[in-house]
Amino acid sequence: MAAAAPRSVMRASLGGSFATAPSWIVTVDTIVVGAGSAGCVLAARLSEELGRSVVLLEAGPDYPSEAELPAEVRKGFTATPTHDWGYVSEPGLGIPPIAQWRAKLVGGCSATNATFALRGSPADYDDWAAQGNPGWSFSEVLPFFRKLESDAAFDNEWHGQDGPLPIRRYSHESLVPGQAEFLQACVELGYKSVADHNAPGAIGAGRLPVNSVAGVRQSTALTYLAGARGRPNLTIRAASEVDRVIFDGRRAIGVRLVKGEEVVPTGRIVLAAGAFGSPAILLRSGIGPASDLEPLGIHVMVDLPGVGRNLRDHPRFALRFAAPRPSSPDEVPGCQALLTLRSSDSVVGHDLQVFPWAISQTDTATSPTGGMMAIHVSVMKPRSVGQVRLRSSDPSAAPLIDPGYFTHADDMPRMLKAVAVARQLARTSPLARFALRELAPGPETAEHHDLETAIRTGLATYFHPVGTCAMGSSSHSMAVVDSRGNVHGVECLSVVDASIMPSIPAANTNVPTIMLAERCASWLG
């Protein structure tokens, strides 16, 4: 039987602020808001059903092919902030404001990140299921991890070979100075060698899996979306920022764009605008804590206290060392090696990361040798919780972002342990030949009080915010969506992105977010 012809997009423009709208003839089956790591996956998978019309809305620009990408977006050796929302966190507990890079282009953060392709621990996903979310245990999400990837190194029960996302590991011969030596120093200190960081139970040191090929970042735009662009039932609209969701009663019937207050009607809306963007849209739509919305003059559609709460992020800190000056300033991969470890024997899986960053040329005022190397550390299972709130109902106003770093007493001791491990590695041969002298925070910051102060003042985000629209049952006071991403208290509205993660994985969150989108797409389909 031939597929039904896709329905065309009908657009209307309405002024003013309102919670309901006239009954339109619905001409779009599904709108996906946000073309990032999750949104591109959703648009590609949902449009596989040719009888379903899908519109993908993105606030930033669209570069339809690899040849059209700006150079810094094309190169996958390091993250780039050139297409960014410009968000900055609120200061807290001795921590200054921190830039919170969030990509603003088709591909989202998958188009600007450092391409770490990690899953985390099976315990991360078993925890999601244990929190009342059926379908999210590791055994249940493993098929979707396999579905998303094409792993060039491993063909076994844990990995996929036919997925859109290519996963690669640098060969030993291609490791740049300092990376192989980091791995050898880990072995010298007794850490286990790991061939596959994505194998269940893998803890130790090994070469990093990445989703870049020949130096080109393989975003969800270049992988998932590229294969769907020619479908007649998929419309991609760049430069289309969404203000809020429009309702008829409690049924979502469309979205209002910022530009021109254009309204796009639809049968179902899926927010995939990320851990800052999705809660902000819900809040402007009147879905969130009434105590936050009423002072801003926003009509409360559904009093959901969890919207914007439960923000989790990986805090990151860099130790910097004088290093031999590189012979040339050629661009090289930033990171090719990784150490994962436990902060204590009571930890299930791993909760700390330590990784070296490539040696770079610098001026002698920064490093007396003219070269500098960094070792980054992060607490991967933080217990601290932050929040996202609106400054105003104006969509042009950046949200108030409070990451809550180190508000839980358990997190700083674990960060101190990670710093101690990094320092020990830097003193161990053969890495000691490259990490010549600690420049920052400096060897004089040995006492815990001084080192804590240095960590707080030098802290950075690892760019992995999650949890602000957490999934859980309707009986859970802080749950925003159910286990399939449907927003509690309304109809025809879902959230599918990192914001629905109830807890943060012990991994860089790009691959877990892609998995999450694959999982939810199977239900939405």
Side-chain angles (χ1 to χ4, degrees), residues 301-501:
M301 170 70 65
V302 182
D303 184 5
L304 276 185
V307 177
R309 305 301 198 260
N310 191 50
L311 173 61
R312 316 276 179 137
D313 190 19
H314 295 138
R316 178 175 56 91
F317 182 70
L319 296 90
R320 306 190 187 280
F321 300 85
R325 181 180 175 87
S327 57
S328 71
D330 293 343
E331 187 175 14
V332 298
C335 182
Q336 299 169 303
L338 175 71
L339 170 65
T340 59
L341 64 156
R342 294 186 177 101
S343 62
S344 72
D345 292 338
S346 64
V347 172
V348 178
H350 61 272
D351 64 336
L352 301 177
Q353 271 190 11
V354 181
F355 59 93
W357 203 257
I359 298 169
S360 60
Q361 283 191 5
T362 187
D363 57 75
T364 54
T366 302
S367 170
T369 60
M372 188 167 64
M373 178 181 187
I375 301 179
H376 294 259
V377 299
S378 181
V379 177
M380 301 303 290
K381 297 296 290 185
R383 298 186 177 96
S384 298
V385 179
Q387 62 180 329
V388 176
R389 295 179 292 119
L390 295 182
R391 294 178 190 272
S392 77
S393 60
D394 183 352
S396 67
L400 289 161
I401 300 169
D402 173 14
Y405 298 130
F406 301 122
T407 53
H408 194 289
D410 289 353
D411 289 352
M412 181 58 79
R414 292 187 290 161
M415 182 66 90
L416 291 169
K417 175 166 183 173
V419 169
V421 169
R423 283 175 159 173
Q424 189 177 22
L425 286 166
R427 295 192 296 266
T428 301
S429 181
L431 185 59
R433 300 202 306 266
F434 293 91
L436 301 176
R437 180 162 66 86
E438 184 177 319
L439 300 173
E444 67 278 3
T445 56
E447 297 296 328
H448 275 196
H449 175 74
D450 292 341
L451 187 52
E452 283 189 24
T453 300
I455 289 171
R456 291 181 187 277
T457 57
L459 194 70
T461 172
Y462 205 174
F463 312 113
H464 302 149
V466 309
T468 50
C469 299
M471 59 178 162
S473 70
S474 58
S475 63
H476 193 298
S477 62
M478 299 303 287
V480 176
V481 302
D482 67 16
S483 61
R484 296 192 173 195
N486 302 306
V487 178
H488 291 305
V490 296
E491 299 175 33
C492 303
L493 176 61
S494 303
V495 182
V496 178
D497 58 28
S499 70
I500 74 170
M501 297 179 183

Side-chain angles (χ1 to χ4, degrees), residues 83-451:
H83 292 70
D84 188 58
W85 284 89
Y87 296 152
V88 178
S89 65
E90 299 300 299
L93 297 180
I95 299 170
I98 297 172
Q100 303 284 319
W101 292 0
R102 294 287 88 190
K104 190 177 182 180
L105 76 167
V106 172
C109 292
S110 76
T112 62
N113 66 6
T115 73
F116 289 26
L118 296 164
R119 295 178 179 178
S121 168
D124 298 331
Y125 306 100
D126 291 339
D127 177 59
W128 292 6
Q131 293 186 54
N133 295 293
W136 291 101
S137 68
F138 180 71
S139 64
E140 291 169 302
V141 302
L142 177 59
F144 298 94
F145 275 124
R146 296 185 65 192
K147 184 178 182 179
L148 70 86
E149 73 177 7
S150 176
D151 193 306
F154 297 97
D155 184 4
N156 56 36
E157 61 185 312
W158 308 117
H159 290 289
Q161 298 296 307
D162 304 316
L165 195 74
I167 305 296
R168 303 290 184 265
R169 292 161 187 80
Y170 293 99
S171 67
H172 184 79
E173 294 72 26
S174 68
L175 298 182
V176 300
Q179 302 288 309
E181 291 78 9
F182 173 86
L183 294 176
Q184 185 58 42
C186 290
V187 172
E188 294 295 326
L189 292 178
Y191 295 106
K192 181 180 177 180
S193 291
V194 169
D196 177 15
H197 273 297
N198 285 331
I203 301 176
R207 284 172 288 144
L208 179 72
V210 296
N211 57 289
S212 63
V213 177
V216 178
R217 180 185 291 105
Q218 300 298 302
S219 68
T220 54
L222 287 185
T223 55
Y224 279 88
L225 200 58
R229 283 185 180 272
R231 295 173 188 158
N233 60 325
L234 175 61
T235 300
I236 302 169
R237 293 189 59 187
S240 299
E241 183 179 352
V242 169
D243 174 7
R244 66 192 65 191
V245 178
I246 305 302
F247 292 90
D248 183 0
R250 290 203 171 190
R251 181 174 177 268
I253 59 172
V255 296
R256 189 171 80 182
L257 305 186
V258 172
K259 186 177 181 180
E261 296 190 342
E262 176 188 346
V263 173
V264 186
T266 185
R268 169 164 285 278
I269 299 158
V270 184
L271 301 183
F276 301 151
S278 287
I281 292 171
L282 288 180
L283 291 167
R284 290 195 298 268
S285 306
I287 301 174
S291 58
D292 287 355
L293 300 179
E294 289 170 346
L296 298 177
I298 298 174
H299 170 74
V300 180
M301 170 70 65
V302 182
D303 184 5
L304 276 185
V307 177
R309 305 301 198 260
N310 191 50
L311 173 61
R312 316 276 179 137
D313 190 19
H314 295 138
R316 178 175 56 91
F317 182 70
L319 296 90
R320 306 190 187 280
F321 300 85
R325 181 180 175 87
S327 57
S328 71
D330 293 343
E331 187 175 14
V332 298
C335 182
Q336 299 169 303
L338 175 71
L339 170 65
T340 59
L341 64 156
R342 294 186 177 101
S343 62
S344 72
D345 292 338
S346 64
V347 172
V348 178
H350 61 272
D351 64 336
L352 301 177
Q353 271 190 11
V354 181
F355 59 93
W357 203 257
I359 298 169
S360 60
Q361 283 191 5
T362 187
D363 57 75
T364 54
T366 302
S367 170
T369 60
M372 188 167 64
M373 178 181 187
I375 301 179
H376 294 259
V377 299
S378 181
V379 177
M380 301 303 290
K381 297 296 290 185
R383 298 186 177 96
S384 298
V385 179
Q387 62 180 329
V388 176
R389 295 179 292 119
L390 295 182
R391 294 178 190 272
S392 77
S393 60
D394 183 352
S396 67
L400 289 161
I401 300 169
D402 173 14
Y405 298 130
F406 301 122
T407 53
H408 194 289
D410 289 353
D411 289 352
M412 181 58 79
R414 292 187 290 161
M415 182 66 90
L416 291 169
K417 175 166 183 173
V419 169
V421 169
R423 283 175 159 173
Q424 189 177 22
L425 286 166
R427 295 192 296 266
T428 301
S429 181
L431 185 59
R433 300 202 306 266
F434 293 91
L436 301 176
R437 180 162 66 86
E438 184 177 319
L439 300 173
E444 67 278 3
T445 56
E447 297 296 328
H448 275 196
H449 175 74
D450 292 341
L451 187 52

